[in-house]
Amino acid sequence: GPTPFTKESQYIFTYEGHMNTGEFKCYTKTGDWGALSIRPAEANTKVSKSGVASDKFVYTSGPDDKWVVADAGNYKITLDLQKYTIKVEYLGE
């Protein structure tokens, strides 16, 4: 199932934990898979030990673009819903 982010302030949400290789996108509501979601501005934007390939995201229902985790491990992901940016920090294995 979905993994919740922590609300740090009105616009800042974070997740810290293990990520497997594969795809992800972020929803603002759980249980409504047809809802608008937070997706990378470009399809298959890579997430790796060096961070995220592009810090821009969009809030849309399509196309069904996703981030792709290339390196499994522990990460901290920060979403800024005011600036529409994502920051990814690799924390190790």
Side-chain angles (χ1 to χ4, degrees):
T3 302
F5 276 62
T6 301
K7 185 175 183 177
E8 304 290 347
S9 68
Q10 183 177 358
Y11 299 109
I12 305 296
F13 291 79
T14 61
Y15 165 77
E16 194 168 317
H18 186 80
M19 303 277 292
N20 293 320
T21 57
E23 302 175 326
F24 76 94
K25 59 188 172 187
C26 304
Y27 284 90
T28 57
K29 292 185 208 174
T30 57
D32 183 2
W33 304 120
L36 295 172
S37 60
I38 297 168
R39 305 164 189 261
E42 295 180 30
N44 303 314
T45 298
K46 187 176 175 182
V47 170
S48 65
K49 291 178 181 178
S50 56
V52 64
S54 171
D55 69 350
K56 301 294 181 211
F57 71 72
V58 293
Y59 185 58
T60 184
S61 60
D64 193 18
D65 295 335
K66 299 175 187 79
W67 285 280
V68 179
V69 178
D71 302 313
N74 293 303
Y75 287 88
K76 180 177 183 183
I77 299 173
T78 303
L79 297 174
D80 184 326
L81 303 187
Q82 185 174 33
K83 296 179 182 173
Y84 278 52
T85 58
I86 182 173
K87 179 180 178 185
V88 176
E89 299 167 86
Y90 179 73
L91 305 176
E93 300 200 22

